[in-house]
Amino acid sequence: MFVLSEEHQAIREAVRAVAEAKIAPHAADVDEQARYPQEAHDALVAADFHAPHVPEEYGGAGADALATVLVIEEVARVCVSSSLIPAVNKLGSLPVMLGGNDQLKKRYLTPLAAGDGGFSYCLSEPDAGSDAANQKTKAVRDGDGWRLNGVKRWISNAGVSEYYTVLAQADPEQRSKGITAFVVEKSDEGVSFGAPERKLGIKGSPTREVYLDDVWVPDDRIIGDVGQGFAIAMQTLDHTRVTIAAQAVGVAQGALDYALGYVQERKQFGKPISDFQGLQFMIADMGMKVEAARQLTYAAAGRSERGDDDLTFFGAAAKAFASDTAMQVTLDAVQLLGGYGFTRDYPVERMMRDAKITQIYEGTNQVQRIVMARQLLAGIQSTL
Ligand code: COS
C-alpha cells in the first residue's frame, strides 16, 4: 500500500537517467541564454517522454497520469524549463483527448506522439487571466467554419508548437456557455506570435502572445461542440494542475538534493555546517514538506487517472501546496548555500526563480483556494 508499483519505479529510474545525462548538463546554459532546451527536446523525443500521456492507439507511450507526473517531476528536478515540454504538450492536447471525436484525436495526437509537433494551450488573454470566462477572442461563423480574431497572452511554447487549442467566444450573450474550443495550426493563415517575454524564470520555455488575425478554422476542428469550450478548458486544468504540482515537487527535490550535498562539504568553525542543529532543522523541514507535497501530488494523479469526483479539489490542492512548498524549499536552499547560493555559479538560485511560476500559472494559488473552497462548500467528499 502507498508505494509506487514496480512499473512506476522503473519509469522514474529511466527518466532520471535521461534527465541527468542529457538534460542537466545544459540547464544552466539554457537559463543563461534564455534559449529553447533543444537538447532536452531531442532527448525526450528519443526516449518517448515528450508527450507520454498520449494513448498507445495514437502511437503514444500510453503513460497514466501518475507516470506522466513522474516524467515531469524527474525532468523538473534538473531543469524546470525542459519539464514544460511534456507538461505543455499534455495541457495543449488534453482538450482534444477529453472533448474531441476519434477523427480529431487521430489527426492531432498522432503527430504529437511521433514528435512531429508540440501542442500549446491558448486560454489566457490580456483581460482574461484569473477571470478566464471573460474571453475577448471572437469566433464568427463563416461558411463551413469559423473566423477567429483576438490576442492570446502568456502562451507557453508559443511559436515552437505546431498545434494550439484556442478558446474563443462564439456567442457573447451566453458568456461561459458561448466559449468554444478549436484546434489552430501554426501554419494557418493569420496566425503570428509576439516577442518572447523577458521572465524571472523558466527562461528556456518561450512565452509569447499569439495573434489570431482573421484565422479561418473549419468545423471539423471544433473540440467537442460549440459552447462546450469553457467546461473542457476547466476540466483540462483539473488534470494538468497535477502536472504543475509535479514540476514543483521536482524542483524542490532538486534544490534539496543539491543543498544536502553542499552542507556536508562546506566547513565553518572547523566542521561541516551540517553538524549545526539550526541547519539540520531547516533540512528536516525541507524534506518533510517535499514528501508531503509529493504524496498529495501522487494522490491527485490517481484521481486524475480515474476521473474521480474530487479531482477538482485535489488538483487545486496539490498545485497550491506543492508550489508553495517549492518556493519555500528553494528559498531555503539558497539560504543554506549562503553567498554562493546567491550566485549563478550554483543551481539553487535558478531553481528558486523557476519555482516562482508554479505559484502563478494554470491558476494563481489564490484561484486554487477559490476552487477548493467551492468544492468543499458544495459537499464534494474525498474518495478515500
Ligand atoms: N469542470 C467542469 N466544468 C466546470 C469546472 C470544472 N472544473 N469549473 C467550472 N465549470 C463550469 C461550471 O460548472 C459553470 O457551468 P454551469 O453554469 O453550467 O454551472 C461554468 O463552467 C462557469 O463556471 P464558474 O461560474 O465557476 O466560472 P467563473 O467565471 O466563476 O470562474 C474560476 C471560475 C475562477 C475558478 C475559473 O475562471 C478559473 O479557474 N480561473 C483561472 C484560470 C486559469 O487557471 N488560468 C490559467 C490559464 S492556463 S496557464
Side-chain angles (χ1 to χ4, degrees), residues 91 121 123-124 128-133 154 156 175-177 230-232 234-235 237-238 241 312 360-364 367-368 370-371 374-375:
L91 174 67
Y121 181 79
L123 173 67
S124 297
S130 293
D131 187 6
W154 311 125
S156 297
R175 208 174 131 88
S176 69
K177 294 282 186 297
F230 192 71
I232 292 172
M234 291 296 113
Q235 282 166 19
L237 292 173
D238 286 345
R241 284 173 179 155
T312 301
I360 298 173
Y361 64 9
E362 296 208 22
T364 63
V367 162
Q368 307 310 322
I370 295 172
V371 171
R374 285 183 181 178
Q375 293 295 303

Side-chain angles (χ1 to χ4, degrees), residues 50-276:
H50 63 292
H53 67 288
V54 177
E56 288 171 1
E57 60 182 304
Y58 305 109
D64 60 34
L66 179 56
T68 304
V69 155
L70 294 170
V71 171
I72 293 167
E73 178 190 335
E74 285 300 326
V75 176
R77 182 175 157 272
V78 301
C79 177
V80 184
S81 287
S82 299
S83 78
L84 270 92
I85 294 171
V88 172
N89 281 337
K90 179 163 180 176
L91 174 67
S93 64
L94 199 59
V96 173
M97 282 175 63
L98 292 174
N101 58 28
D102 285 346
Q103 190 203 355
L104 202 68
K105 289 184 196 168
K106 198 167 171 206
R107 180 164 165 193
Y108 288 109
L109 297 177
T110 309
L112 172 65
D116 292 337
F119 229 120
S120 291
Y121 181 79
C122 302
L123 173 67
S124 297
E125 298 183 354
D127 293 320
S130 293
D131 187 6
N134 186 34
Q135 294 285 306
K136 294 287 195 307
T137 296
K138 297 270 180 301
V140 175
R141 192 89 187 117
D142 182 1
D144 296 336
W146 298 78
R147 268 294 147 206
L148 305 187
N149 276 287
V151 176
K152 293 293 173 179
R153 183 171 285 176
W154 311 125
I155 307 307
S156 297
N157 290 350
V160 173
S161 293
E162 283 297 323
Y163 311 114
Y164 298 80
T165 287
V166 171
L167 281 300
Q169 182 54 270
D171 188 351
E173 286 181 11
Q174 301 279 330
R175 208 174 131 88
S176 69
K177 294 282 186 297
I179 294 171
T180 305
F182 301 86
V183 179
V184 169
E185 301 186 8
K186 181 178 168 179
S187 57
D188 286 336
E189 206 179 325
V191 174
S192 60
F193 304 97
E197 304 289 349
R198 298 156 61 237
K199 296 173 298 187
L200 175 74
I202 56 162
K203 294 186 179 200
S205 176
T207 309
R208 302 168 72 172
E209 288 189 325
V210 176
Y211 306 122
L212 302 155
D213 186 10
D214 259 341
V215 178
W216 189 78
V217 180
D219 278 336
D220 63 8
R221 285 207 241 148
I222 293 178
I223 303 172
D225 287 326
V226 174
Q228 280 187 344
F230 192 71
I232 292 172
M234 291 296 113
Q235 282 166 19
T236 296
L237 292 173
D238 286 345
H239 290 276
T240 57
R241 284 173 179 155
V242 185
T243 70
I244 305 306
Q247 287 185 319
V249 171
V251 69
Q253 186 68 56
L256 175 60
D257 288 347
Y258 196 88
L260 281 173
Y262 180 87
V263 294
Q264 292 176 78
E265 283 185 8
R266 169 75 175 162
K267 287 198 173 75
Q268 288 291 274
F269 305 101
K271 55 185 178 181
I273 60 174
S274 58
D275 282 4
F276 293 100

